[in-house]
Amino acid sequence: MTSPDANQPEFHRPERIETIGDGKRVIAVAANAAERTALATRFGLIEIVRLNGDYSVARTPAGIIAAGRVTADVIQACVATGEPLSARIDEQVALCFVAETHADHPAEEIELSLDALDIIPFDGAAIDLGEATAETMALALEPFPRSPHAEAILRKVGVLTEEEAGPFGALAGLKAKLEEKKP
């Protein structure tokens, strides 16, 4: 086994374009334990228990279309307490891999609705469904996961809620102080 390329993502599943053929092809990718550990480090997770991508891939005049589902089980840390929180990811994906030579002008080449597809440039020789799966998982994560105890811990250390920190919250605090000073 060769050592991984430093420029290669942790979960690298290249699919050469010539292997896709003219019809749709079903491709499944699953991250192994070492890949999940490396991705957990990259995305600031405690653990990635499972990460899979199931795609239907086809060549089109627009590019290589990959549609399917990304599923994962991850453990994130609560932003307030650090407690481990389990999360399940189940995301539908619709990707259009466009050769880098055409990626600068995708509107000239793509007849499909750009709203429905995420455009991903590639080198023209192979698409990377592993990296696409990892990035989809990362985008689906809760950015600020909170445990059931988070609010109490944050209040204890003096962190205001969004309502309290907003402009009306400040006015309510001022009103309360003024009422305290009334005789």
Side-chain angles (χ1 to χ4, degrees):
M1 185 171 174
T2 61
S3 63
D5 181 349
N7 296 325
Q8 204 173 47
E10 300 89 341
F11 181 26
H12 186 55
R13 293 296 186 280
E15 191 65 38
R16 299 220 30 98
I17 301 309
E18 65 266 10
T19 66
I20 294 173
D22 293 330
K24 286 187 179 179
R25 182 166 171 225
V26 175
I27 301 171
V29 296
N32 65 34
E35 292 164 334
R36 293 190 313 269
T37 299
L39 287 169
T41 300
R42 175 173 154 194
F43 295 124
L45 300 171
I46 295 172
E47 182 181 5
I48 299 174
V49 179
R50 177 182 62 86
L51 175 58
N52 299 320
D54 295 296
Y55 300 94
S56 174
V57 180
R59 286 177 182 241
T60 71
I64 306 299
I65 305 296
R69 169 172 267 135
V70 170
T71 57
D73 290 309
V74 303
I75 301 174
Q76 295 179 274
C78 171
V79 295
T81 66
E83 292 176 72
L85 300 170
S86 296
R88 176 157 283 157
I89 306 296
D90 189 347
E91 286 290 310
Q92 293 285 340
V93 293
L95 310 170
C96 181
F97 291 88
V98 178
E100 288 174 344
T101 57
H102 301 294
D104 294 336
H105 307 292
E108 297 172 10
E109 301 279 334
I110 297 177
E111 296 175 14
L112 300 170
S113 170
L114 291 175
D115 296 339
L117 300 170
D118 289 326
I119 307 299
I120 301 175
F122 76 103
D123 66 7
I127 61 174
D128 189 347
L129 292 174
E131 180 61 11
T133 300
E135 289 179 7
T136 299
M137 177 211 60
L139 290 170
L141 292 170
E142 172 62 44
F144 302 105
R146 290 187 176 203
S147 76
H149 308 99
E151 191 172 328
I153 298 292
L154 291 171
R155 184 163 297 288
K156 187 176 180 180
V157 296
V159 176
L160 301 175
T161 66
E162 287 183 30
E163 294 81 24
E164 294 168 333
F168 296 112
L171 291 174
L174 179 61
K175 181 180 176 186
K177 285 185 180 184
L178 289 173
E179 288 178 2
E180 288 175 6
K181 292 185 178 189
K182 285 185 181 177

